Amino acid sequence: MLKFVFGLLAGVNLLVLAIGQGYLGSFRTETREPARLKNQLQASKLTLLTQEQATAPVALPAAEGAAAAAPAAAAAPAAPPSYACTEVGNFLLADGRRFEAQAAALDLGDRQSRRNVAGQDISSYMVYIPPQGSKEGADRKAGELKQLGVTNYFIMNESSPLRWGISLGVFKSETSAQSQLAMLNKQGVHSARVAPRYSASKQFAYQFRDLDAATRARLEKIKAQFPEQELRSCK
């Protein structure tokens, strides 16, 4: 009798253990993983990701990607080149007129101008005594020349860098001027010197201001018809 009771109790305990462990299911809902997956809405559309897919960076939609790239693309373009002042020269009168007529097509108005170029050709040589500072000083020096026996002189009183200097002769060649200077030195005139004289300018240069690249290129084509001329920046 005791064996029967003991066996019955053991069977009941095993039954309770099986129910507690879920081996026989649940009277309310199934809580194991397979059943929970079945109860998900549209469970057939779920996709399990691999580790690489789960850790990969998320790609932005096309519209968002374009918006993110817009600031870089919106960087200001480089400013086109500009030429503050360009000069072409030096022209003799006839060539200058031909060049000026063609440059008129650029229609630059007051941005185009012409200037005289200082002459560089030596026309003669002068023997002279430097300026004495005033008419009185020049007259005093002239008196000293007379005492030395020099009578061929001229006081320069015009408005020039040599005003109140004394000219002792103008010569075509430097050799002749140096010979005159040597003779004056023998007479006791030691303050005289020789200097070249330049001819008046008969040449022109044309200046063009605030040119863009396209207008500069057109100017270069016009200048190409005058190969002896130079295209340069204004000084």
Side-chain angles (χ1 to χ4, degrees):
M1 185 66 178
L2 290 174
K3 291 182 179 181
F4 173 76
V5 174
F6 178 78
L8 181 59
L9 291 174
V12 171
N13 287 333
L14 289 174
L15 179 60
V16 172
L17 177 62
I19 294 173
Q21 294 296 324
Y23 295 126
L24 300 181
S26 173
F27 294 106
R28 293 169 298 174
T29 58
E30 183 62 63
T31 59
R32 297 179 66 185
E33 190 66 20
R36 192 161 61 243
L37 288 176
K38 291 180 182 180
N39 289 334
Q40 295 286 346
L41 294 176
Q42 298 180 339
S44 61
K45 295 185 179 180
L46 294 179
T47 302
L48 295 178
L49 300 178
T50 65
Q51 182 178 359
E52 291 77 8
Q53 292 173 325
T55 57
V58 179
L60 292 174
E64 294 183 12
S82 177
Y83 301 90
C85 186
T86 302
E87 183 174 86
V88 182
N90 301 327
F91 293 92
L92 294 175
L93 182 59
D95 285 343
R97 286 176 176 173
R98 290 198 300 116
F99 176 82
E100 188 170 352
Q102 296 188 40
L106 300 177
D107 194 22
L108 295 177
D110 59 3
R111 290 187 291 146
Q112 175 181 331
S113 61
R114 186 181 75 179
R115 72 177 183 89
N116 294 332
V117 178
Q120 297 298 319
D121 295 332
I122 297 175
S123 61
S124 59
Y125 294 85
M126 181 173 64
V127 181
Y128 72 104
I129 293 175
Q132 300 300 301
S134 66
K135 183 179 184 303
E136 291 76 15
D139 289 339
R140 186 165 50 252
K141 178 61 69 174
E144 294 176 3
L145 292 174
K146 285 183 180 181
Q147 292 177 2
L148 295 172
V150 178
T151 58
N152 185 17
Y153 63 85
F154 171 74
I155 295 176
M156 295 178 282
N157 58 9
E158 71 276 6
S159 297
S160 73
L162 294 178
R163 180 178 173 85
W164 304 127
I166 300 176
S167 172
L168 298 169
V170 177
F171 304 87
K172 284 289 185 182
S173 68
E174 185 178 8
T175 301
S176 298
Q178 292 292 348
S179 297
Q180 174 70 2
L181 180 63
M183 186 179 67
L184 290 169
N185 287 337
K186 290 179 180 180
Q187 290 180 264
V189 180
H190 300 293
S191 59
R193 61 192 63 178
V194 174
R197 299 179 71 195
Y198 295 93
S199 60
S201 174
K202 295 182 180 179
Q203 296 180 323
F204 308 96
Y206 293 87
Q207 294 185 341
F208 306 88
R209 292 175 295 279
D210 300 326
L211 301 181
D212 56 28
T215 307
R216 166 81 175 219
R218 292 174 62 193
L219 177 62
E220 290 176 352
K221 289 183 179 180
I222 296 173
K223 182 268 171 192
Q225 301 177 44
F226 302 85
E228 69 280 4
Q229 304 302 327
E230 178 187 9
L231 187 148
R232 56 187 177 259
S233 297
C234 300
K235 295 181 180 179

